[in-house]
């Protein structure tokens, strides 16, 4: 998950290749996340959590979204993302339904995808128009290496959660795969990711790689020509969005 620029307290305006002009919304405190991805542009995770909590009251977040929308021309999306995992806000469902009552602008959710094994979390995001979870690994050793998840989240648990989301969610689902040279970008890694992705049947698969600083200095971008070869391995719904 990444994308940001000019900001108020919870909201910021950002442009990205895939979502156009977007009003980003932060729901949780900085680097509150179930993952500590080696490639995270925000640095190492300072509050690793797998337990949703009642952070900022939705009414305060919704008030700022309303004020921001009054100040700017309508964005292409309102995107729940930011400096941590939005689904760790236990009242994310109220935020989404409040936005839907306020405007017809589509709501996108950028998420690690690591919490959907919890029924309440799945239920709370059903009204989002677009969900973009990450899937950076096809097996547990790679998952541990690249995402460094909270101890309560195994690879199989995370993938079971994504499958359960796919079964219940009727909106648009794009998978984001972040590739790191020497970690998850060899054919063996990609074929395992493909197997998992096929079961989820996403509407798109988007490949990303490093184009800025990362949490760990050893993280290297995958070269452009290799990104294209990997995209062809993942099939016609796959596109390169970064690198
Ligand atoms: S999921 Fe990974 S990239 Fe996204 S905020 Fe958490 S640690 Fe950073």
């Amino acid at each position: 998950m990444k994308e940001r620029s000019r900001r108020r307290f919870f909201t910021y305006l950002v442009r990205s290749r895939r979502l156009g002009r977007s009003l980003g919304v932060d729901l949780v405190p900085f680097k509150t996340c179930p993952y500590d991805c080696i490639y995270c542009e925000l640095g190492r995770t300072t509050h690793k959590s797998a337990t949703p909590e009642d952070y900022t009251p939705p009414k305060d977040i919704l008030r700022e979204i309303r004020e921001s929308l009054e100040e700017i021309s309508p964005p292409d999306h309102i995107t729940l993302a930011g400096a941590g995992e939005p689904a760790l806000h236990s009242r994310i469902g109220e935020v989404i339904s409040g936005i839907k009552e306020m405007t017809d602008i589509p709501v996108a959710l950028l998420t690690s995808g690591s919490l959907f094994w919890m029924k309440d979390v799945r239920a709370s995001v059903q009204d989002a128009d677009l969900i973009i979870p990450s899937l950076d690994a096809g097996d547990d050793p790679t998952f541990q290496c690249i995402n460094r998840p909270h101890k309560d989240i195994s690879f199989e648990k995370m993938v079971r959660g994504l499958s359960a989301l796919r079964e219940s969610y009727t909106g648009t689902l794009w998978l984001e795969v972040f590739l790191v040279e020497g970690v998850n970008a060899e054919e063996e890694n990609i074929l395992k990711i493909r197997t998992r992705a096929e079961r989820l049947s996403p509407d798109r698969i988007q490949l990303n790689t490093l184009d800025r600083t990362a949490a760990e200095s050893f993280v290297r971008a995958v070269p452009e020509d290799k990104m294209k070869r990997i995209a062809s391995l993942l099939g016609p719904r796959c596109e390169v969005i970064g690198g």
Side-chain angles (χ1 to χ4, degrees):
M1 296 183 285
K2 51 185 191 177
E3 305 180 350
R4 66 178 44 245
S5 65
R6 186 180 81 105
R7 64 174 303 134
R8 292 172 55 138
F9 201 67
F10 308 113
T11 60
Y12 51 94
L13 198 56
V14 67
R15 281 181 192 279
S16 67
R17 222 186 299 175
R18 58 181 164 173
L19 294 175
R21 196 165 150 276
S22 193
L23 183 68
V25 184
D26 262 346
L27 296 188
V28 296
F30 184 77
K31 283 307 318 243
T32 298
C33 191
Y35 285 178
D36 182 17
C37 301
I38 58 174
Y39 59 78
C40 187
E41 65 170 302
L42 304 167
R44 291 182 185 162
T45 294
T46 46
H47 181 205
K48 192 183 280 188
S49 169
T51 307
E53 289 182 45
D54 194 356
Y55 292 106
T56 307
K59 68 176 174 41
D60 294 345
I61 298 168
L62 290 166
R63 188 191 314 119
E64 190 178 304
I65 293 172
R66 187 185 304 279
E67 288 169 2
S68 295
L69 290 176
E70 283 167 1
E71 285 176 5
I72 59 174
S73 53
D76 300 307
H77 289 89
I78 296 174
T79 304
L80 310 181
E85 169 53 66
L88 277 175
H89 195 309
S90 58
R91 296 168 72 189
I92 184 175
E94 289 177 49
V95 175
I96 294 172
S97 58
I99 297 170
K100 304 298 284 183
E101 283 167 20
M102 192 187 302
T103 176
D104 291 335
I105 297 166
V107 176
L109 169 63
L110 283 184
T111 170
S112 63
S114 60
L115 300 175
F116 294 125
W117 43 276
M118 285 184 262
K119 198 174 169 189
D120 288 353
V121 173
R122 290 199 302 278
S124 67
V125 302
Q126 295 293 322
D127 288 341
D129 298 283
L130 168 64
I131 300 181
I132 311 179
S134 293
L135 182 69
D136 302 329
D139 57 39
D140 195 60
T142 313
F143 178 57
Q144 297 297 333
C145 180
I146 192 164
N147 299 121
R148 301 189 296 199
H150 186 278
K151 61 177 174 45
D152 291 349
I153 304 173
S154 67
F155 176 73
E156 290 302 333
K157 196 170 182 178
M158 178 274 290
V159 167
R160 268 204 314 277
L162 286 179
S163 299
L165 177 74
R166 177 74 287 191
E167 280 167 24
S168 60
Y169 175 63
T170 55
T172 303
L173 187 86
W174 298 350
L175 272 187
E176 177 174 347
V177 181
F178 197 104
L179 295 168
V180 176
E181 185 66 12
V183 176
N184 67 341
E186 297 313 312
E187 186 169 331
E188 172 198 0
N189 309 117
I190 303 305
L191 294 179
K192 286 182 183 175
I193 291 172
R194 185 172 77 182
T195 301
R196 299 296 180 159
E198 278 170 353
R199 288 181 203 157
L200 296 171
S201 192
D203 298 283
R204 288 188 200 173
I205 300 174
Q206 300 188 313
L207 296 187
N208 208 347
T209 193
L210 194 70
D211 62 0
R212 55 190 87 185
T213 55
E216 303 301 339
S217 58
F218 63 81
V219 172
R220 295 279 174 265
V222 174
E224 193 180 338
D225 56 341
K226 188 169 175 181
M227 291 289 281
K228 287 182 185 154
R229 284 201 303 278
I230 291 171
S232 66
L233 272 178
L234 289 169
R237 280 176 290 180
C238 184
E239 61 187 345
V240 176
I241 59 157

